[in-house]
Every structure is written in structure tokens, then in C-alpha cells.
Amino acid sequence: MTPTQIALVQESFAKVAPLGKAVSDLFYGRLFQIDASLRPLFNGDMNEQGRKLLTMLSVVVNGLTRLEALVPQVQALGRRHAGYGVEPGHYDTVGAALLDTLEKGLGDDFTPETRDAWTAAYTLLAGTMQAASEAEAT
């Protein structure tokens, strides 16, 4: 990721993060709309799950400038997700739900450049998670 992309991700996240529960509700609503078969993977308290989502996004977004410190955390997250039953195709669905959520949450501020920056960030992080998940499975 370029420094400009990192800045765009961080600046745009700073705009949606204060919306808290509304953002997580929008994300999970969209996720289950795209693929209702994912719903059983989330059998706990969805308010708590939403808080975890926002916390994880905050850690990741703030860690983009320190990838060497962030990567081990993302790898650990990928290994945990392997145990939850997350499959490789689920990462694409989550990415689509995330981009849709950001587009709705940011409105006109979700420019093509911002979309590209988030896509780059998600691709990098999801790939790291998947690699760790696959390593865990073998």
C-alpha cells in the first residue's frame, strides 16, 4: 500500500468509526444479505460481535503504518477464523460487505480513490489471514 492509500483508509475510517453500532449493524446486515448461509457462523451476541468488528478494524487501520507489527496480529486472527469454519470464499463476501458499508457510511466521501485504498488494504489483510488459516489447516 502507498502512503496515500494508507492516509485515505485512516481518514475515511475516522469518519465512520464514531457511528459505532450503526456501522456494525449495516455491515452484518449487508453480509447476511449477500450470503445468508454465513449467519450460523455468528451464534453469539451480535452487539458484542459488532464491538469486536469495530475494534479489529481500528487496530488494523491504525496499524497500516506499522505492518511489521500488524502482520502477526492479522495472522493470529486468520488462524482463529480457521477454527470458526471460515472458508476461502467467505473473504470475498466480507470484502464486498465492507466496501458496501463504507460506501453507505461515507456517502460522497467514498471516492473511487478511497474505494481503491480500502480494496488494497482489505486484499493485503485478507490474503494474510487466508495464508495463516491455510497453514493452520495443514
Side-chain angles (χ1 to χ4, degrees):
M1 291 187 67
T2 68
T4 300
Q5 288 175 318
I6 291 170
L8 282 169
V9 168
Q10 291 177 334
E11 290 165 10
S12 59
F13 185 69
K15 293 176 183 175
V16 295
L19 302 175
K21 185 174 177 343
V23 171
S24 62
D25 288 350
L26 185 61
F27 171 79
Y28 286 109
R30 183 64 180 132
L31 181 68
F32 301 143
Q33 181 182 33
I34 294 170
D35 187 350
S37 73
L38 295 178
R39 184 65 182 96
L41 295 177
F42 299 90
N43 53 16
D45 177 2
M46 288 307 294
N47 288 325
E48 179 61 23
Q49 184 64 40
R51 283 189 289 279
K52 288 179 183 179
L53 170 72
L54 291 172
T55 298
M56 184 269 310
L57 281 172
S58 180
V59 167
V60 167
V61 166
N62 291 321
L64 288 174
T65 57
R66 300 175 317 281
L67 283 177
E68 69 284 350
L70 179 62
V71 166
Q73 294 175 12
V74 174
Q75 289 170 326
L77 187 62
R79 287 189 292 274
R80 284 195 307 273
H81 278 72
Y84 302 151
V86 174
E87 299 173 7
H90 295 156
Y91 287 91
D92 292 337
T93 306
V94 168
L98 178 63
L99 291 175
D100 287 351
T101 299
L102 291 165
E103 182 174 18
K104 285 184 177 54
L106 291 167
D108 291 341
D109 288 338
F110 196 62
T111 64
E113 294 80 15
T114 302
R115 174 182 284 279
D116 290 346
W118 274 97
T119 300
Y122 184 77
T123 300
L124 172 70
L125 299 167
T128 302
M129 286 179 67
Q130 284 181 281
S133 178
E134 289 168 7
E136 182 75 9
T138 58

